[in-house]
Every structure is written in C-alpha cells, then in structure tokens.
Amino acid sequence: MAKLKVYDPAMCCSTGVCGPKVDMTLVGFAADLDWLKRQGVEVERYNLSQQPAAFVANAVVNEEVRRNINVLPILLVDDEIVCRGHYPLRNELTDMFSLEAEAYPGLLRVISQNGD
Amino acid sequence: MWTDPLNSKYLFFTGKGGVGKTSLACAAAIHLAGDLTPVLLVSTDPASNLDEVLGTTLGSAPVRVEDVPGLFACNLDPGAAALAYRERAVSPYRGLLPEAAIRSMEEQFSGSCTLEIAAFDEFTSLLGAAETADRYAHVVFDTAPTGHTLRLLALPGAWTSFIDNNTTGMSCLGPLVALSKQEAMYRSSLEALRDPQRTTLVLVARADAASLQEAARASEELRRLGVCNQHLIVNGLVERTSTTDPIAAALVDRSSNALANLPADLSELPLSTVPLKEHPLVGLAALQCLTTRDTAPSSTVTGCTLPDVPTSLDTLVDKLLLLGRGVVMTMGKGGVGKTTIAEEIAVSLARTGVPVLLTTTDPAGRATSALKPPVNNLKIERIDPVLEVQKYRDEVLEAAAANLDQHGLALLEEDLRSPCTEEIAVFRAFAAAIARGEESYVVIDTAPTGHTILLMDAAEAYHREVLRTESEMPASVRQLLPRLRDPEFTCVILVTLPEPTPFHEAKVLQDELGRAGITACAWVVNQSFLASGTREPFLQTKALMEARWIDEVMQVSPFTVVLPWR
C-alpha cells in the first residue's frame, strides 16, 4: 500500500484542539487519517513547529517551503505532491488511494462547520 | 526552633498568598546552609520575590547567594523558561529553513501551552535530575500560591498518565513530543514527591481561619496525590498582650481562637509556630532573626501620620457608578485581600440597585461564602477549572459529533485530555466573563499575580493571532484585549499591603499591564495599622514602617484608598 506524508504548518497540535476555538477542519482531517490507517495506508505526519528536521530533510518539501511558506500543508504520496495549501476532504483522500468511501458522516465534511 | 524538624532532602513550602512562604523558605534554607551544607533554594512562582528577599539577582540557573556560604538560589520563571525553550527548539533551524518558516515556528511557541510545559520541564529537571540530588544536600522550594502549586505538583501525575494512555502519537502533545523522552524524569520526580524519607511538605498559615482552611485544603489534596509527610507552621503569631489597645486585643484573640479551632485535617500534623515580627522580612539580617531569638536590627523610625486619602471604598464605588456598567478587577499579591475588596465593591454596587456579577479566576479561590444573606442584584459565580474543562470538552465533542465516526470521536476525546485544554478552557471562561461587562457590572477577583500575568500573556498572544490570521474565534476572545484596554470599560484595582514585597509585586503588575496597554484605575492599600489608630507600641512600630510604602503607592497610583486594619 502507498505511503502518505503530511507536512503541517507550524501549530501547537495537529488536531486543532489547542486554539481559542477548536478547528473542526483539523479534527476531521485527523479522524480521516486515522481511518486511512485502518484501511492499511501508511501515514506519517510532521508539524513544522515540532518536527522541523523533516522539512529540511525532504528536498521536495524544502523547495516548496523556501518558495512560499503558505503552501503548507503539503501532502505527498510516495514522495510526489498530491495536495497543497489545504486539507483534503475524505473523498479526495479516497481518490488518492483508490479506496471505496464507506458510508460515513464525515464524507462530505463541510469546512464551514467552523461558524459560531 | 521551628526549623529543627525540617531536614528532608526536599522541602516544599506552600500556603495561601501572603502567609510568609518565601520568608520562611529563605530562613529555613539559610539555616540549613549554616555549616556550609550545600542547599538550593528554588522559587516556582512566576511572580517570585526571592531576589528582593535575598538581596541577590537570580536567574533560572542556580547562583551562589553572596553572604550565605553554601546557599544557592534560582527562580523558575515560566516566561524566561518558555523563551529559552523556544530558542532551543528553533535555533538549530535558522539558515536551514526560510525566515518565514522560522517566524511561524516562533509564533507557535508563544502560547500558554508552551509556558506551562516549559515551566514544568524546568521543575522536573530540578526535582528529577540526579545532578541536583548529588550536588545539594537539601532543595527548598518556595512554591507558588496554592492553586498554582497544586497544579504544578499534580502535573507529573497528569502528564505521566497522559503519556501512558496516549496511543496514537499524533494528538495534541504540542511541545510535549520532545519531552516524552524524559518520561523517566517525570517518574522519578513523582517518586521523590511521594517519598516521606525525602520530601516534607511544609504548610504555612497565619493564625486566622481563612488561611488555616486553605492549608487544610492543600493538605488534604496533596495527601490524596500521595504527598504524606506534612508539617504545619503557624506564622506571625501575636504573643504580646501588654496593653488594652483594641486592635492588639483583636489580633491576640484571633490568633488564640484560630489555634484552638484547627481544622481536622491539620490537627494531627506536627506543628511549629513563628512569632510576628514588626519589621518587614526583607534582607538577610531580618531573615536570620526568624531562626534566632533576636529582634531585627532597628532602623530609625520617625513619627508620621496618614496622608489625606480616602479610608473607605465609597469614593471608589462612586467613580465606578459613573461608568454605568463594565469590568472591575482586583489584582495583587496573594494574601493582600483581593477577594474581600472585590466582595465589598460588588456588594456596594449592587446595593445601589444595579445588576452585578462577582466572579473569580483563582483556581484556589474561596467560594464567596461570606456573603450571607444574599444581596439583591448580586450574582456570584466562580471560574472552576474542572467545570470549565468539562464544559469545553462537551461543547467540542457535541459540535464534532455530526462529522465524526466513533474512531474520530475517540481520537478527539483523547486529545481533549491534554493538559493544555485546561489553560484554554479557563482562558475562554475569563474572556466570556469580561464580555458580560457589556450588560452589567462584572467584578472579578483575580488569581495571584503569576497566574494573572499568564492570563494576560495569553490574551496578548491570542490577540496577535486575531490580527495575524482570519481564524475563527469566539467574539469574546476577539474583543478581549480591546475591552481590557478601554478605561471606560475596565477598571483594574491594584491591592497591596503597606509593605515592600506586596507593593513591589503590585508595581510589577502595573508595569506589565501598562506594556499590554492596560492602565490601572486605582490602588487600595489594605490592612493599615497606621490608618487603624492603634496605641499598642509594638503595632505602632509596624504602623510607622508603613508610611514609606503608602507614600510609594501614592507616587505611582492615579487614585489611592488606604483601608484600616480590620
């Protein structure tokens, strides 16, 4: 099975519970990655503020970041960029790995869930 | 001598603010270092006064205290620790990552999680490290006021079980990821704390019911956390009864009543007493007097009278009534009477017929039980960290439930167990309380200084985030700093005693607030013997020493009230 690497921007926690408001996009994405793992995808996740070495070590990511830091998050599948600048929804993730999206309330996760 | 039973490897002094923890911890450390024994004295209070008390400039690394051979001291300042922590994390990547990336890393290391973790890191590395244990015969901790102390002491347990239970390795560990390597250190810290051979917890109280109750609460809570070797010191006992002066008589009565009615949790503990000294316990000579029978070296005292200032809160309340609504916050060192003054202001405002909410940000804040019978128009609440965390978790989980399956929810629930969550939940509750000042008066009795500074730092950090990003935040958080900065909305009252240490602490607080763009609107000098009119010679000596500090307050304060000793 393919390998997914996620390079997050600098943040306190990758699930977004550490801000003055919980970021539901991050919560949903963390759940999706958890689901992908259960489908057998190998997932690695790096946070710029916690694992900066990973951003130095990977040449592709390093070049992107040098050009523009706002490109984060970057997602790589087998070292090829599959998504940048936003967190993909689950249907995008399932497409990346040709998986069947099972019935799941998060399938059409709405980013605007953030509203007050 | 009260210091005799205090000879454990680790000594922790704890108690309600203002009971004399720092003075006694210093005196005990000086005493232990007496025959050149290497002793380390540590303050974990973010608003430490150790420098002033010892007359030595301290940093986060132990330094020799000039005039006491054998004694070393340091301040664990969370702000400085967080900066050092950030620098250690970020500096290796300068040049390897673009400047923009470095900046965004730095921004992440400025939140309250980082402060909490950095302080904790320093604390455990002192307590858990073999070097410390080998180098010093005794380590004396002058711990922060009670609520903060308990959290700090409880942390090794909380973190250790958090690491044990965290299975996914991709949750809100924040900077903890780097720390998890030091798990062994947490465990040895916890073991040291729980070992009665190595650790003595010294509960310090004044001879009054409130401070003894606080000590009893701390005693019980720490016993539950496994810290069982405890010792009680009643400080500032009034032994002189020579005159018929009503103020002196009241003091003596209060002392003997309090000792006769010790709370059940304390009555079994070994007890020492330390008499009240008429001189402020600042400087080595004064501290050494605490462990000898001598009186402090007398300085020349000239007669003086109270300046012409209000001696009740009425004028201040009248000023507040002009605002029509808004936030009143009492701030200052622990033990100066913030709670009492907040209560009195809230009651006075409510009696004029306006709605008033009285609340506290102090995690160890006493429920304002004194207010019986209930006052019309006055609502009393309390920001309880446990409840706030529960509320915040429920709110987040409920909002997420529609979009997550059971695995996703379990993952989120685990993340919400992170110790950072408490900081955020309390901060949000604070912002929400401030927002309620739009509709009514909100009187907030703040936590002791260190905790309040952290809260203000968080307000600033989040405000920067508001300006920097478009990220969604509750309106109360977005408007928090602008509200605090508006003198027509927020009135900060600095409370002090007419003594050097609480004055300096309140002054530091005033300066810190000033840097954040918040101006104090008044100072209240509480418990003044000078304003009390006492005729007891011993208390008159104390009263005369007060004049200088009242004068210092008036020089930095826009509006001063001096309240007589009660």
Side-chain angles (χ1 to χ4, degrees):
Chain A
M1 182 62 83
K3 183 169 177 174
L4 173 67
K5 288 183 182 174
V6 182
Y7 293 83
D8 289 303
M11 49 193 188
C12 180
C13 54
S14 52
T15 46
V17 303
C18 281
K21 182 171 179 95
V22 172
D23 187 337
M24 286 299 170
T25 310
L26 287 169
V27 171
F29 184 66
D32 287 350
L33 291 186
D34 182 54
W35 179 81
L36 275 185
K37 278 187 193 166
R38 277 182 279 120
Q39 311 309 308
V41 177
E42 200 183 323
V43 179
E44 283 175 13
R45 198 164 178 187
Y46 308 100
N47 174 348
L48 178 57
S49 59
Q50 288 164 20
Q51 294 113 330
F55 292 73
V56 177
N58 188 302
V60 181
V61 173
N62 197 279
E63 206 188 307
E64 287 281 328
V65 169
R66 280 183 187 280
R67 214 175 300 141
N68 179 10
I69 185 75
N70 296 323
V71 76
L72 296 175
I74 297 173
L75 279 73
L76 300 184
V77 174
D78 296 332
D79 277 324
E80 216 163 290
I81 295 181
V82 289
C83 179
R84 74 187 98 191
H86 75 279
Y87 288 99
L89 296 176
R90 180 179 285 199
N91 54 339
E92 294 175 67
L93 287 172
T94 49
D95 287 351
M96 284 173 204
F97 298 96
S98 317
L99 290 166
E100 286 293 312
E102 62 186 6
Y104 173 67
L107 177 60
L108 296 172
R109 194 179 63 242
V110 189
I111 299 210
S112 69
Q113 275 297 325
N114 259 339
D116 249 338
Chain B
M1 186 54 53
W2 62 272
T3 42
D4 291 346
L6 308 181
N7 50 17
S8 301
K9 176 105 195 170
Y10 301 107
L11 290 167
F12 288 85
F13 283 74
T14 190
K16 196 172 178 325
V19 295
K21 292 186 293 290
T22 307
S23 305
L24 294 185
C26 287
I30 291 170
H31 183 75
L32 286 168
D35 41 6
L36 297 181
T37 311
V39 173
L40 177 63
L41 176 59
V42 185
S43 172
T44 57
D45 188 340
S48 165
N49 302 307
L50 216 50
D51 295 47
E52 183 180 13
V53 174
L54 288 177
T56 304
T57 308
L58 303 176
S60 60
V63 296
R64 213 175 273 282
V65 177
E66 280 280 316
D67 298 316
V68 188
L71 182 61
F72 295 77
C74 62
N75 273 330
L76 301 188
D77 169 16
L83 273 182
Y85 186 83
R86 181 175 94 179
E87 201 40 40
R88 275 202 306 279
V90 172
S91 63
Y93 298 98
R94 293 223 161 83
L96 292 177
L97 287 170
E99 193 45 42
I102 297 290
R103 262 201 313 279
S104 72
M105 286 168 71
E106 284 177 344
E107 271 155 15
Q108 279 314 311
F109 282 101
S110 59
S112 50
C113 302
T114 312
L115 276 170
E116 191 79 3
I117 289 164
F120 169 72
D121 188 27
E122 292 219 330
F123 176 74
T124 46
S125 63
L126 263 180
L127 193 60
E131 301 105 88
T132 321
D134 294 346
R135 191 171 306 154
Y136 304 101
H138 304 280
V139 185
V140 179
F141 287 84
D142 146 37
T143 52
T146 312
H148 209 77
T149 301
L150 294 179
R151 284 205 328 215
L152 199 59
L153 288 180
L155 273 175
W159 285 108
T160 305
S161 69
F162 185 68
I163 294 170
D164 280 351
N165 296 332
N166 191 288
T167 46
T168 59
M170 53 175 268
S171 43
C172 174
L173 291 170
L176 186 65
V177 169
L179 292 179
S180 57
K181 295 173 201 121
Q182 302 179 24
E183 210 182 310
M185 192 102 94
Y186 302 159
R187 292 197 199 280
S188 73
S189 297
L190 199 55
E191 276 164 25
L193 283 172
R194 288 176 173 167
D195 178 359
Q197 302 301 319
R198 280 184 287 169
T199 295
T200 303
L201 177 80
V202 185
L203 299 153
V204 186
R206 293 268 172 193
D208 64 59
S211 110
L212 284 164
Q213 252 150 39
E214 180 71 41
R217 209 183 61 87
S219 167
E220 200 267 323
E221 191 146 11
L222 285 162
R223 203 174 304 137
R224 230 181 318 121
L225 291 167
V227 184
C228 296
N229 182 9
Q230 304 187 352
H231 187 99
L232 174 66
I233 295 182
V234 177
N235 186 25
L237 213 60
V238 183
E239 299 170 323
R240 305 184 194 202
T241 56
S242 57
T243 66
T244 51
D245 178 65
I247 307 279
L251 260 172
V252 172
D253 268 5
R254 189 179 297 178
S255 293
S256 47
N257 275 342
L259 280 186
N261 300 299
L262 279 184
D265 278 324
L266 299 180
S267 53
E268 303 288 303
L269 297 180
L271 165 79
S272 320
T273 61
V274 180
L276 183 70
K277 303 282 175 180
E278 60 265 67
H279 295 266
L281 293 166
V282 172
L284 292 174
L287 285 170
Q288 271 151 353
C289 295
L290 267 180
T291 51
T292 61
R293 294 267 171 232
D294 303 343
T295 43
S298 64
S299 47
T300 7
V301 176
T302 48
C304 50
T305 50
L306 190 68
D308 183 24
V309 291
T311 53
S312 85
L313 293 170
D314 297 349
T315 3
L316 188 52
V317 170
D318 289 344
K319 274 167 70 102
L320 294 172
L321 282 169
L322 294 177
L323 298 177
R325 51 97 188 88
V327 170
V328 182
M329 277 194 277
T330 54
M331 295 189 185
K333 188 177 182 310
V336 296
K338 290 183 296 292
T339 308
T340 313
I341 287 167
E343 280 170 10
E344 286 182 8
I345 289 174
V347 168
S348 302
L349 286 170
R351 292 235 161 96
T352 69
V354 295
V356 179
L357 168 68
L358 174 63
T359 183
T360 177
T361 59
D362 188 349
R366 77 170 125 112
T368 42
S369 53
L371 296 180
K372 292 173 207 157
V375 179
N376 278 341
N377 306 315
L378 178 63
K379 210 166 141 188
I380 299 169
E381 288 176 11
R382 164 166 185 259
I383 298 177
D384 177 338
V386 177
L387 280 182
E388 293 306 331
V389 168
Q390 194 53 50
K391 244 164 56 186
Y392 180 64
R393 287 175 51 132
D394 291 350
E395 198 183 301
V396 171
L397 288 171
E398 196 193 309
N403 296 310
L404 295 177
D405 63 6
Q406 65 186 58
H407 290 281
L409 273 177
L411 194 65
L412 179 59
E413 235 178 320
E414 186 169 315
D415 276 335
L416 288 169
R417 276 203 296 271
S418 139
C420 302
T421 311
E422 178 177 321
E423 300 293 314
I424 292 154
V426 168
F427 177 76
R428 284 167 52 109
F430 172 65
I434 299 280
R436 287 161 75 180
E438 295 289 352
E439 289 101 50
S440 71
Y441 282 100
V442 177
V443 181
I444 303 177
D445 166 29
T446 66
T449 312
H451 193 269
T452 303
I453 288 177
L454 296 185
L455 210 52
M456 293 297 154
D457 281 349
E460 279 203 280
Y462 286 138
H463 191 68
R464 278 195 301 274
E465 202 172 317
V466 171
L467 298 178
R468 189 166 49 85
T469 67
E470 311 268 291
S471 76
E472 289 275 350
M473 282 195 207
S476 59
V477 174
R478 251 180 292 131
Q479 287 163 29
L480 177 62
L481 204 56
R483 278 185 179 131
L484 293 176
R485 282 172 174 163
D486 178 1
E488 299 292 308
F489 185 84
T490 298
C491 171
V492 171
I493 299 172
L494 291 162
V495 184
T496 183
L497 301 177
E499 289 169 21
T501 309
F503 165 73
H504 287 137
E505 189 165 317
K507 178 69 174 53
V508 167
L509 198 45
Q510 172 162 291
D511 296 344
E512 289 263 343
L513 291 170
R515 272 192 285 281
I518 303 165
T519 326
C521 83
W523 281 62
V524 174
V525 181
N526 198 17
Q527 300 288 33
S528 163
F529 284 109
L530 189 59
S532 78
T534 177
R535 316 298 312 161
E536 160 77 42
F538 167 69
L539 295 178
Q540 277 185 323
T541 313
K542 264 186 107 60
L544 292 176
M545 314 279 299
E546 290 176 358
R548 172 176 169 205
W549 302 107
I550 294 174
D551 184 55
E552 297 252 2
V553 167
M554 293 179 69
Q555 286 181 29
V556 298
S557 160
F559 183 80
T560 310
V561 177
V562 178
L563 298 177
W565 185 87
R566 296 171 280 179

